[in-house]
Amino acid sequence: MSPKRLFSMVLASCFVCVGAGDALADATITGSVKLDLPGGKKPRRKKLKMAADPVCNAKHDAPVASDSPAIVDDDGALHNVFVYVKTGLEGKQFDVPSEAAVLDQKGCIYKPHVMGAMAGQDITVLNSDGTLHNVHPKPQNSKEFNKAMPKFMKKIKISFAKPEVMIPIKCDVHPWMQSYVGVLDHPFFAVTGEGGTFELAGLPAGSYTVEAWHESERIGTMTQDVTVADGESKAVDFTFKVKAKK
Ligand SMILES: [Cu+2]
């Protein structure tokens, strides 16, 4: 290979390096969410009463505990917390995933109880129950709608036009059915489960406010500020305290 050709190859690869460096977006924020449990006492989850619909009732061998007011592991790890970048991404554009998010109605319970999607992203709502459900979100920023899903209707597609944390979704047929979807104009969100951990990966370097949201008013929301550089991973932990009853 001629020195000239070698030089142009090195030059070309350097341009690639610089280009890739600009678009690295490989910062990560991880962490965990806990609920302070004085005396180790966990919030009591009521048993759901599904007798009003025999189809729902027949789906379970034993009474099912409600997802509300909170699911907490013995060590305080808190489930169903929507953790997301609240500020710091303004002015940046992110592609809406072509893949739909999925919300199932199974055993007359929403699965998952808390989820996220991007504004404009399709959300496939499944009816795995063979009974009538209706999908009734109550957004403030996007249009409210109410779609019946008779027992033969297995799948519908919904979406929300505008970001909003959080949009409650209810089924008017089964009053115990409640879920929440967090809608954002970027993909940096997570929902805690077993262990209460979360990860927001693929972030551009920057300074962010991260919010942790829980459905219970007595738990509420917390924020933390964090700055991450390209390739850096930082941990932020949230510990909620149960607020006194109003
Ligand atoms: Cu229902």
Side-chain angles (χ1 to χ4, degrees):
M1 187 181 298
S2 75
K4 198 175 166 191
R5 169 125 173 83
L6 185 64
F7 177 73
S8 39
M9 274 180 71
V10 170
L11 201 64
S13 64
C14 271
F15 274 125
V16 171
C17 290
V18 170
D22 283 347
L24 265 180
D26 65 351
T28 308
I29 300 172
T30 62
S32 65
V33 186
K34 287 202 166 190
L35 184 65
D36 195 29
L37 297 173
K41 205 168 158 240
K42 296 200 260 184
R44 200 170 72 85
R45 297 165 60 193
K46 281 190 184 150
K47 298 276 190 291
L48 299 175
K49 293 193 175 79
M50 299 189 182
D53 187 334
V55 176
C56 299
N57 222 19
K59 302 271 178 194
H60 305 280
D61 296 333
V64 180
S66 170
D67 289 323
S68 306
I71 303 177
V72 192
D73 294 339
D74 289 343
D75 65 355
L78 185 58
H79 299 213
N80 288 328
V81 178
F82 186 71
V83 184
Y84 71 105
V85 172
K86 186 172 189 175
T87 64
L89 291 165
E90 294 77 10
K92 290 192 166 71
Q93 301 279 330
F94 298 95
D95 291 339
V96 175
S98 53
E99 200 177 317
V102 179
L103 176 62
D104 198 359
Q105 300 168 108
K106 196 170 186 185
C108 300
I109 296 166
Y110 286 113
K111 305 270 179 196
H113 183 59
V114 175
M115 64 184 285
M118 277 183 71
Q121 182 182 4
D122 283 342
I123 301 172
T124 300
V125 183
L126 304 173
N127 180 359
S128 302
D129 284 332
T131 192
L132 170 71
H133 292 296
N134 78 310
V135 183
H136 189 180
K138 295 202 169 166
Q140 305 287 319
N141 301 342
S142 302
K143 200 165 168 258
E144 184 175 337
F145 59 87
N146 188 350
K147 289 189 180 176
M149 291 187 77
K151 61 182 178 183
F152 55 83
M153 195 180 284
K154 299 292 176 211
K155 196 191 262 192
I156 59 169
K157 225 187 269 176
I158 64 169
S159 67
F160 299 99
K162 299 270 173 61
E164 184 170 345
V165 175
M166 302 287 285
I167 299 174
I169 301 180
K170 273 192 71 73
C171 171
D172 300 319
V173 183
H174 307 115
W176 62 85
M177 288 180 68
Q178 170 87 63
S179 71
Y180 300 89
V181 57
V183 178
L184 300 173
D185 55 8
H186 62 72
F188 303 106
F189 55 84
V191 178
T192 61
E194 195 77 32
T197 57
F198 66 88
E199 181 180 270
L200 308 172
L203 273 163
S207 294
Y208 301 108
T209 299
V210 177
E211 182 168 83
W213 172 98
H214 189 273
E215 69 185 279
S216 168
E217 279 184 8
R218 295 185 62 199
I219 297 174
T221 59
M222 287 178 87
T223 58
Q224 289 209 48
D225 295 332
V226 55
T227 298
V228 275
D230 266 335
E232 190 179 21
S233 179
K234 272 196 187 161
V236 287
D237 296 324
F238 295 88
T239 302
F240 284 93
K241 286 192 186 341
V242 179
K243 295 170 192 147
K245 272 187 188 155
K246 278 181 188 166

